[in-house]
Amino acid sequence: MAEQQLGVLKALDVAKTQLYHFTAIVIAGMGFFTDAYDLFCVSLVTKLLGRLYYFNPASEKPGSLPPHVAAAVNGVALCGTLMGQLFFGWLGDKLGRKKVYGITLIMMIVCSVASGLSFGSKAKGVMTTLCFFRFWLGFGIGGDYPLSATIMSEYANKKTRGAFIAAVFAMQGVGILAGGFVALAVSSIFDKKFPAPTYAVDRALSTPPQADYIWRIIVMFGALPAALTYYWRMKMPETARYTALVAKNIKQATQDMSKVLQVELEMEERAEDIVQDPRLNYGLFSKEFAKRHGLPLLGCTSTWFLLDIAFYSQNLFQKDIFSAIGWIPKAATMNGIHEVFMIARAQTLIALCSTVPGYWFTVAFIDIMGRFAIQLMGFFMMTVFMFAIAFPYNHWIKPDNRIGFVVMYSLTFFFANFGPNATTFIVPAEIFPARLRSTCHGISAATGKAGAIVGAFGFLYAAQPQDKTKTDAGYPPGIGVKNSLIMLGVINFIGMLSPSLSLSPRVSPLKSSPVRLRLRNDYAVLSSINLLSVCPFNFFVMPIMIM
C-alpha cells in the first residue's frame, strides 16, 4: 500500500512522541469535551424543565415533561448527531479534515448558545426552540466524531496511536464531569440566593421564577471550551495522510510534516506514481472494498450499536434509576433548584469515581493489552455487573443496600469506558484506507447513535412502573427498572459475542501498524453471529456486503 512506501508517512509512523502530539490531543480533545458536555448536560435539567413549564398546582407530584416532549428533549440531539456523523464523515474525505473541522466547531458554538434562548415564555415555544437548536447542535457534534478520531489517528505515530486516540476520546469523560460541576455550582449559587420551600410545603413557590436561568446557563456553557480552541484548530495543518493519499499532493504533505516534525524531509522519486496506483482507488460501494473491509465495517457498526443502547440508557436516565432506589430523595421533598443539585451530585460522583477513570485506564493499557482484549473484557464485566444489580434488584433498593447498588452500577460505567465505549471509537479510525477513513468512521459512529436513540426512547418508556398508578404523568405502564436493567444486561452479553467481527486477535492492531492492516477473510468465520437481526441500521451497509 502507498502508506507503506511514502517517506513522509514513514517519518510520521516512527516519529518520537513530541509536543505536536499533545497539542493535537488537546485541540481534538476539547471538541470531545464539548460534545459530551452538550449531549449529557440535558439530563441534569429535564426535571427542572418539567417543574417550570408543566406545573400543575392540583398534582401531588411536581410537574414533569410529557412523554413526547421528554423523548424529544433527550433524543433530538442524538438524531442530529447521527445525521452529522454520516454527512461530515463523508465530507471529511471529500474536502479534507481541516476544512470540515472548523465548520463543525462553529455549529457547536452557535447552537450551544442558541439552545439556552427561547422564542416566547410558554412551554411550547421554549421546548420547540430547545429541540430545534439541540438538533443542529447534535449535527455539529456528529461531525466531530469521525474528524477528531481520523485526525488524531493520522497525526499519531505507530507505537502510541491507540493511546493518543483514546486520550482524545477520554475528554468525553471530562466533559461529562464538567457538566456535573457546572450544574452543582450554578444550582448552589441560586439555592442560596433564592431560597424556596419544598414542593410538599408550597407547590407554587417551590420553583422560583429565577430557576429558569439555571438550565439556560448550564446548556449555554458548552460553547465556551469550543470557542477557546477555534483558533488553534484552524492553525493545524491538514494531515499528511489526507494530503498525500487523497489530495495526492505529496510535496505539500512533505512540507507540512517537515514543519510539524521539525526535520528536513525530502520527497522520494516516483512518489506520484505510488499514490496514483489504480489498485488503491476502489470506492466505498465496490467489490474490492467489500472484500477487504466489508466484514470489519459490519463488525464496527454492530458492536457500536449494541454498546450505545446500554451506554446512553444508563447515562441519560441515571437520575430516574437513582430516584427509583431512593438515592435521590422524592421530588416532593425538594424544591426545584435543590433537585438539580441532588441530580448533579449523584451523576458527578458516578463520573468522578468510575466514568473518568475508565477512560484513562484505556489510555494506559490500549497499546499493551490490545483492542480485542479490552473490548471483550469490557462487555463481559458490564454484563456481570448489570445482572448483579438487576436480578436481586429488590435487595438493592432497601435503604441499607443503596450504596452497594451505586458501587455496582458505577462499575458498569468503568468497564464501559475501559472497554467497548473506547475501542469502538478507536478501531474505525485505524483499519480503513485514508480516502474512506472518515466516511467509514462516520458510518460506524452513526450506527452507534442509532443504538443510542433506541436506548434513549426505549428506556424512557420501559423503565416506567408496571403499576399504572405509579407511572409519571402521561406515561403508559412499562416493564419497570428491574426488567429494563435485565434487558440492558442481555444487550451487553450479545455485544460480548460480537467484537471478533472487527477485531480478530490474529490481526490485532497491537501487533502492527493499524493503518496498514490487511484484513483477511478470517472474519468470515467469526461473523457467524446474527448481528444483522440485532442492528437494523446495518441495512445501510448491506449494499457494500452484497455487491
Side-chain angles (χ1 to χ4, degrees):
M1 291 179 67
E3 289 180 86
Q4 291 178 298
Q5 301 174 37
L6 292 178
V8 61
L9 303 185
K10 285 182 181 179
L12 273 175
D13 272 346
V14 301
K16 294 181 180 179
T17 300
Q18 300 177 32
L19 178 62
Y20 85 88
H21 287 119
F22 296 105
T23 302
I25 289 172
V26 171
I27 295 171
M30 287 308 292
F32 252 85
F33 174 98
T34 305
D35 297 351
Y37 182 97
D38 288 332
L39 284 177
F40 294 112
C41 72
V42 72
S43 66
L44 300 167
V45 299
T46 49
K47 296 278 191 182
L48 179 61
L49 290 171
R51 285 179 180 253
L52 285 167
Y53 297 106
Y54 295 92
F55 169 65
N56 180 3
S59 174
E60 295 182 357
K61 295 181 179 180
S64 60
L65 298 178
H68 65 285
V69 176
V73 169
N74 282 297
V76 70
L78 299 176
C79 295
T81 303
L82 185 153
M83 296 182 65
Q85 287 165 335
L86 292 173
F87 177 72
F88 287 116
W90 168 79
L91 203 62
D93 283 333
K94 294 298 179 183
L95 300 183
R97 294 38 163 148
K98 179 183 176 180
K99 289 180 181 179
V100 183
Y101 216 27
I103 298 171
T104 61
L105 197 65
I106 292 173
M107 287 191 69
M108 289 158 58
I109 294 169
V110 171
C111 293
S112 288
V113 174
S115 294
L117 306 177
S118 302
F119 295 124
S121 57
K122 302 295 183 182
K124 186 175 182 179
V126 173
M127 294 301 118
T128 300
T129 307
L130 177 62
C131 290
F132 175 82
F133 284 111
R134 279 191 64 79
F135 174 85
W136 291 108
L137 172 63
F139 195 73
I141 289 172
D144 226 45
Y145 270 75
L147 293 170
S148 290
T150 301
I151 285 173
M152 196 65 247
S153 173
E154 294 180 345
Y155 264 113
N157 58 42
K158 181 171 65 175
K159 184 178 179 181
T160 55
R161 181 172 291 131
F164 287 162
I165 303 173
V168 170
F169 193 61
M171 293 302 291
Q172 187 181 71
V174 181
I176 294 172
L177 186 62
F181 281 138
V182 171
L184 285 171
V186 174
S187 60
S188 295
I189 293 170
F190 274 76
D191 203 17
K192 290 181 180 179
K193 191 72 174 176
F194 307 103
T198 66
Y199 187 83
V201 173
D202 193 317
R203 297 176 182 179
L205 297 179
S206 65
T207 306
Q210 293 85 355
D212 192 52
Y213 292 105
I214 294 176
W215 72 268
R216 298 177 190 275
I217 293 170
I218 292 172
V219 300
M220 293 170 74
F221 185 85
L224 182 60
L228 292 175
T229 58
Y230 179 77
Y231 172 78
W232 297 107
R233 189 174 281 203
M234 292 299 93
K235 291 284 287 182
M236 291 178 70
E238 183 58 85
T239 70
R241 299 185 194 281
Y242 179 87
T243 304
L245 300 175
V246 184
K248 303 188 187 304
N249 189 342
I250 300 174
K251 181 178 180 181
Q252 184 63 50
T254 303
Q255 291 175 351
D256 289 343
M257 290 306 102
S258 293
K259 295 177 182 178
V260 168
L261 298 173
Q262 298 181 343
V263 295
E264 191 65 34
L265 298 175
E266 296 182 0
M267 190 175 77
E268 60 266 55
E269 296 181 7
R270 300 188 64 206
E272 297 292 341
D273 294 337
I274 296 173
V275 297
Q276 297 293 342
D277 188 343
R279 294 174 298 175
L280 302 175
N281 292 327
Y282 52 84
L284 181 66
F285 296 97
S286 67
K287 291 181 180 179
E288 187 65 21
F289 180 88
K291 178 182 177 182
R292 295 190 183 204
H293 307 291
L295 283 175
L297 179 60
L298 179 60
C300 290
T301 54
S302 299
T303 306
W304 209 333
F305 176 85
L306 292 165
L307 165 75
D308 274 7
I309 293 177
F311 184 74
Y312 277 82
S313 296
Q314 290 175 243
N315 262 298
L316 290 174
F317 300 105
Q318 287 181 65
K319 61 186 183 302
D320 303 289
I321 295 171
F322 294 149
S323 296
I325 67 166
W327 194 35
I328 296 176
K330 292 185 180 298
T333 65
M334 299 181 285
N335 63 47
I337 298 175
H338 190 61
E339 186 175 36
V340 174
F341 178 87
M342 294 301 291
I343 292 170
R345 187 186 71 169
Q347 295 192 193
T348 301
L349 285 172
I350 295 292
L352 189 62
C353 298
S354 62
T355 303
V356 174
Y359 284 108
W360 292 102
F361 265 69
T362 301
V363 174
F365 292 104
I366 187 72
D367 290 314
I368 299 172
M369 294 175 61
R371 285 73 168 155
F372 180 82
I374 288 178
Q375 186 160 303
L376 191 64
M377 174 197 69
F379 267 127
F380 174 76
M381 298 305 293
M382 288 170 68
T383 303
V384 168
F385 286 114
M386 191 60 71
F387 283 149
I389 62 177
F391 285 111
Y393 178 75
N394 293 330
H395 166 79
W396 294 118
I397 61 176
K398 295 177 181 178
D400 293 340
N401 301 327
R402 290 169 184 165
I403 298 303
F405 178 94
V406 172
V407 171
M408 301 279 276
Y409 192 70
S410 299
L411 287 169
T412 65
F413 281 103
F414 176 83
F415 284 105
N417 296 311
F418 183 32
N421 193 39
T423 55
T424 51
F425 178 80
I426 295 168
V427 172
E430 296 180 312
I431 63 176
F432 297 109
R435 68 190 171 285
L436 299 171
R437 185 170 295 139
S438 180
T439 301
C440 291
H441 196 287
I443 293 172
S444 301
T447 313
K449 284 301 168 288
I453 292 168
V454 170
F457 288 100
F459 197 88
L460 187 66
Y461 289 89
Q464 292 295 316
Q466 294 173 304
D467 184 350
K468 64 181 180 180
T469 63
K470 297 180 180 180
T471 61
D472 292 335
Y475 286 88
I479 61 175
V481 173
K482 175 180 178 177
N483 292 327
S484 297
L485 292 174
I486 292 173
M487 286 183 62
L488 295 182
V490 171
I491 290 168
N492 289 332
F493 178 76
I494 298 171
M496 183 178 68
L497 304 178
S498 65
S500 298
L501 267 168
S502 55
L503 286 171
S504 166
R506 293 179 60 185
V507 289
S508 170
L510 178 64
K511 300 302 182 183
S512 62
S513 175
V515 190
R516 298 174 180 164
L517 292 177
R518 301 270 188 174
L519 296 167
R520 308 183 187 94
N521 288 331
D522 300 345
Y523 292 116
V525 178
L526 298 166
S527 65
S528 57
I529 304 163
N530 186 18
L531 291 176
L532 283 175
S533 64
V534 183
C535 182
F537 192 73
N538 274 323
F539 284 107
F540 179 85
V541 295
M542 275 299 291
I544 302 173
M545 307 300 300
I546 62 178
M547 284 186 64

